[in-house]
Amino acid sequence: MPLHVPSAPAPALRSVLTALGSPSAVRGSRSPLALRTAQGPLRPELPLPAYELARVAPDDAGHTTAPAAVAPRTRLTGWRFLLADGGAGGEGTHGSVFVGTAEAVPTADGWTFGQFRQGPYVLSTVRALRQAEVLPTPYQPRLLSVPELYMLTLWLHADAGGDPHDGVPDPADLLIPLAPAPPGIVPHTARRVDALLPVLTRRLRPAPLPAPGTDSGTAPLLRTPA
């Protein structure tokens, strides 16, 4: 089933195009190497709204701020575009050769260019999008990060035609962890939100202190399988 890729706000796209049109921004020494060595012009494709999951670690009282029974809180952090190398062949979109990402971020005055990035999440995002396209249900693709775990997921929102700037993960939405994933989280395996969030919470809950006289050599929770 085709994905319903949302359209980015025009000012967000313009901010990225302006940055791509600046030789100092793309080819400067501070730009990612993959962008500086691209064979042709870079073009933004596959815009994805980028969200951040609110704190899911237990508080001092042992309660989490995103328990399974309560809708998790998210915050829109920007729009991320995959950057295709126009000189490396391909026929556009998934047939393109992607070398990095460009991000537009919201400000009080609208949208502005944020930064360029490279790394394993680029190709992992493309792979996850291909996985999602063969699912029988249509979804709206988004990105959802979990900063406490240094984790990024492809969030497949069931409201395919919904406002990409609104909404929280529904229990039946799917999350595909991108690679590299935290220890114990299997990348590129789609999980329902109501199944994966409790796993993330357990990863962040401190291990109880061993009772006096007992062996404290237990395996860390971050190393237990998901």
Side-chain angles (χ1 to χ4, degrees):
M1 185 72 68
L3 291 172
H4 292 245
V5 179
S7 298
L13 176 58
R14 282 198 300 269
S15 72
V16 168
L17 291 173
T18 299
L20 289 173
S22 169
S24 61
V26 177
R27 306 293 181 181
S29 60
R30 295 185 178 181
S31 298
L33 178 62
L35 273 61
R36 301 201 308 268
T37 57
Q39 300 178 37
L42 298 169
R43 61 176 182 267
E45 298 184 1
L46 295 169
L48 297 171
Y51 281 81
E52 182 179 284
L53 186 65
R55 184 174 183 268
V56 295
D59 57 24
D60 293 338
H63 303 108
T64 63
T65 56
V70 178
R73 292 179 296 163
T74 58
R75 180 176 68 92
L76 180 70
T77 61
W79 278 80
R80 193 168 299 174
F81 300 78
L82 289 171
L83 295 178
D85 183 350
E91 300 177 354
T93 314
H94 289 194
S96 301
V97 177
F98 294 103
V99 295
T101 63
E103 190 158 352
V105 297
T107 69
D109 299 321
W111 292 89
T112 187
F113 172 71
Q115 61 181 329
F116 293 123
R117 298 186 185 186
Q118 66 177 14
Y121 284 143
V122 176
L123 296 183
S124 186
T125 300
V126 176
R127 177 182 171 185
L129 288 168
R130 288 173 176 159
Q131 286 182 259
E133 283 190 332
V134 300
L135 296 175
T137 304
Y139 290 100
Q140 181 189 98
R142 305 175 174 188
L143 293 171
L144 181 64
S145 65
V146 187
E148 292 164 282
L149 289 175
Y150 301 97
M151 178 179 178
L152 184 62
T153 72
L154 181 67
W155 168 16
L156 300 178
H157 193 43
D159 185 5
D163 183 355
H165 298 122
D166 193 17
V168 296
D170 185 85
D173 286 356
L174 298 181
L175 297 176
I176 301 180
L178 302 185
I185 303 294
V186 181
H188 291 287
T189 300
R191 301 279 297 271
R192 281 174 53 113
V193 166
D194 58 3
L196 184 57
L197 282 188
V199 173
L200 303 184
T201 300
R202 290 197 298 271
R203 294 293 183 276
L204 293 163
R205 180 177 295 123
L209 294 175
T214 61
D215 182 10
S216 60
T218 55
L221 286 178
L222 278 174
R223 299 178 184 271
T224 57

